[in-house]
Amino acid sequence: MAPAPITEDYYMILEVVQNATPEQITQSYKRLALKVHPDRNTNHDATEAFQRVCQFSGVKLILLSIVKLWCAETQILKLGQAYETLKDESKRKAYDHIYPSIRQSRSSPKTTQTPRPPPASTPQSRTLSEAAQIIALQKSKQERSARWWTKKNAFDSSIFELQRDIQRLEQEIQNLESIVAADAAKDAQKNSWGTWLLSPIYKRVEDTEEEKERKDRKRQERRIEKDMKERRLGLKKADLKKEESLLRKAKEEVDAANLVDDRKIRAIQDGIWARETRERREREKVERENIARIYKQQQEQREKQQREAAEALRKQQVKEQAAEQKRQEKQARKGSTRKPSTSTCSHDGWWPKVQGRTACPECSESWTYLLQCPGCKMKACPRCQGMIRRRIPRNAARTRVKTPTSDPFYNDYY
């Protein structure tokens, strides 16, 4: 029967590292064993567990895997298994060989999270994303501009070096040409008619063969040097044209890329402006609709109030008409109870009030107060007093007759 595979992390059980020494393993085992020792732990289960560990300390691992005890005993058994395995060098080597797979199998699996759906696009998030795009494009332009200036400085320095070399070569070629021209003029002067005619007088020094060879050799060297410098000058000019063309091409590429970025930025800004304009118009439309609705509600409320006021006025008029008609009918039924006055009183002056609910002697209506004539002491309601009292035209002169009364205000006034 094959032994059961080991799946426990003995280093973690003994609380030591993988490269711990045997002394450290023994010390850790003793320290952990003392935690469940009967002298330290008075629990009966712990005592039996410790005795079983001492009993099974020499038993093979296959027998220990069969034992199924409760939680505390299982922990102590694992501690004994770990110590039995790690204290033996051969068992420890075999265990270290399979230890990486044990750690990998005991590692907690990563929890798989369902991807969240992307958030719904809102105007604010859209504006932020567009602003981020504009910032990214502007940053790209700045980086491109920085690279362009670096490249331009390199091209400028190279072009400057080439131009300086070209000027130097042209100056050297010009110097060689001037030397050749001077030698040719000197030779022409020697071979001229004047020199030949004056030769009897002035003895002309003839060049030796060595001198002639030396001059020919120098002349040939100058010619070769001139040819080489002209070739180098041609190469330098070709390199200069190439550098200038590369500089123009790089400038065109940078300008084209900047133009594309500017168009993108302008398109994004136009989109933002169009969206903001559309949103502003929608807000203005909503505000106009709200204002129109509020105005309509206010107008309807005013019309309703006007209708209610008109209805209340109509009801009041109807009520007053009904009361007037009722009063007239009552007067018509009772007839006029007014007696012809035999008094010579003009009923002029201030009629004081007589408080108290009393029926008018003229019209028999109940009033809360009556008015009393200061002269004849006749009582009447305000309506009848207006009919009894003599009417005076508006612009006529009033001739008031002072009549003694018991009213002090009336006496003081008149």
Side-chain angles (χ1 to χ4, degrees):
M1 184 176 179
I6 301 174
T7 58
E8 299 294 338
D9 190 349
Y10 291 155
Y11 291 105
M12 185 175 65
I13 293 173
L14 290 174
E15 298 180 0
V16 293
V17 294
Q18 187 177 359
N19 56 357
T21 60
E23 291 79 8
Q24 293 176 351
I25 293 173
T26 304
Q27 291 177 2
S28 179
Y29 170 71
K30 290 180 179 180
R31 178 176 56 81
L32 295 174
L34 286 175
K35 290 183 179 180
V36 291
H37 197 275
D39 296 338
R40 298 291 182 90
N41 194 346
T42 58
N43 191 2
H44 180 68
D45 297 338
T47 303
E48 291 183 358
F50 186 82
Q51 291 176 358
R52 293 190 183 188
V53 169
C54 295
Q55 181 180 359
F56 286 96
S57 60
V59 181
K60 294 182 179 180
L61 295 176
I62 187 171
L63 297 177
L64 291 174
S65 62
I66 300 173
V67 179
K68 295 182 180 180
L69 302 173
W70 51 87
C71 181
E73 186 175 359
T74 304
Q75 184 177 2
I76 299 171
L77 289 174
K78 289 180 180 179
L79 185 64
Q81 291 176 4
Y83 180 66
E84 287 291 332
T85 303
L86 297 181
K87 75 176 182 179
D88 191 354
E89 293 183 0
S90 59
K91 293 181 180 179
R92 185 175 180 180
K93 288 182 180 179
Y95 180 76
D96 289 340
H97 183 69
I98 62 173
Y99 182 65
S101 61
I102 294 173
R103 289 189 61 183
Q104 186 176 2
S105 62
R106 290 183 62 84
S107 61
S108 59
K110 296 182 180 180
T111 57
T112 58
Q113 297 181 355
T114 57
R116 295 183 179 179
S121 178
T122 59
Q124 186 176 5
S125 62
R126 194 183 307 114
T127 304
L128 291 176
S129 63
E130 291 173 348
Q133 291 178 8
I134 292 174
I135 292 172
L137 290 172
Q138 291 177 351
K139 186 177 180 181
S140 176
K141 285 181 62 179
Q142 292 176 358
E143 293 176 354
R144 189 183 300 111
S145 178
R147 291 195 300 270
W148 154 247
W149 281 109
T150 304
K151 189 182 293 185
K152 184 177 182 299
N153 292 332
F155 277 119
D156 289 342
S157 61
S158 177
I159 290 171
F160 176 75
E161 293 291 336
L162 290 173
Q163 289 177 351
R164 188 175 62 180
D165 293 342
I166 288 171
Q167 290 178 359
R168 181 174 56 80
L169 289 173
E170 288 178 349
Q171 186 66 31
E172 290 177 356
I173 291 171
Q174 187 176 0
N175 293 336
L176 290 174
E177 289 178 351
S178 62
I179 292 171
V180 171
D183 291 342
K186 189 175 181 180
D187 293 340
Q189 185 179 4
K190 284 182 179 181
N191 298 326
S192 64
W193 286 96
T195 305
W196 180 77
L197 291 173
L198 294 174
S199 59
I201 302 171
Y202 301 100
K203 292 183 179 180
R204 186 176 61 176
V205 180
E206 296 291 339
D207 294 334
T208 61
E209 294 295 332
E210 294 179 358
E211 189 71 20
K212 290 181 180 180
E213 289 179 0
R214 186 178 62 80
K215 289 182 178 180
D216 292 339
R217 189 169 56 252
K218 284 186 178 181
R219 194 178 294 112
Q220 189 175 3
E221 288 176 357
R222 292 193 191 97
R223 191 181 302 112
I224 293 171
E225 185 179 0
K226 181 182 176 183
D227 293 339
M228 292 178 63
K229 289 183 182 297
E230 287 178 351
R231 291 178 184 176
R232 289 177 60 188
L233 180 62
L235 293 175
K236 293 290 183 181
K237 288 183 177 180
D239 292 340
L240 179 61
K241 290 182 180 179
K242 184 178 179 181
E243 292 291 330
E244 290 177 348
S245 64
L246 290 175
L247 180 61
R248 286 194 300 271
K249 186 177 180 180
K251 178 63 176 175
E252 291 174 357
E253 291 177 355
V254 171
D255 292 340
N258 289 335
L259 182 61
V260 171
D261 290 344
D262 290 337
R263 288 177 179 174
K264 290 181 180 179
I265 293 172
R266 195 178 302 111
I268 294 172
Q269 290 176 349
D270 292 342
I272 294 173
W273 179 81
R275 187 176 64 255
E276 290 178 351
T277 304
R278 184 171 60 254
E279 292 175 356
R280 186 179 66 254
R281 289 178 179 175
E282 291 177 356
R283 288 196 301 270
E284 291 175 354
K285 182 179 178 181
V286 172
E287 290 177 358
R288 287 195 299 269
E289 291 177 354
N290 292 334
I291 292 172
R293 186 175 65 255
I294 293 171
Y295 177 76
K296 185 177 180 181
Q297 291 177 357
Q298 292 177 353
Q299 188 174 4
E300 291 177 354
Q301 188 175 2
R302 285 195 298 270
E303 292 177 355
K304 183 179 179 181
Q305 291 176 357
Q306 291 175 0
R307 288 195 301 269
E308 291 177 354
E311 185 67 20
L313 181 61
R314 187 183 64 79
K315 289 181 179 180
Q316 184 68 20
Q317 290 177 355
V318 170
K319 188 176 180 180
E320 290 178 356
Q321 290 177 2
E324 183 67 21
Q325 186 177 2
K326 186 176 180 181
R327 187 181 63 79
Q328 290 178 1
E329 290 176 355
K330 185 176 180 181
Q331 287 182 357
R333 284 195 306 270
K334 289 184 178 181
S336 178
T337 58
R338 186 184 306 166
K339 297 179 181 180
S341 178
T342 58
S343 175
T344 59
C345 181
S346 61
H347 305 296
D348 199 0
W350 177 262
W351 288 42
K353 289 182 180 181
V354 178
Q355 299 291 340
R357 179 171 290 279
T358 312
C360 178
E362 300 294 330
C363 62
S364 301
E365 289 187 4
S366 178
W367 289 79
T368 57
Y369 67 92
L370 296 178
L371 300 176
Q372 186 177 12
C373 179
C376 61
K377 306 298 181 181
M378 183 180 66
K379 295 180 180 180
C381 65
R383 186 184 295 110
C384 295
Q385 187 258 358
M387 297 172 63
I388 295 170
R389 191 174 180 180
R390 181 172 59 89
R391 298 294 180 183
I392 301 174
R394 181 180 296 275
N395 297 326
R398 293 178 178 268
T399 56
R400 299 184 181 275
V401 179
K402 184 175 181 181
T403 306
T405 62
S406 60
D407 191 353
F409 175 77
Y410 179 80
N411 293 332
D412 294 340
Y413 181 76
Y414 288 99

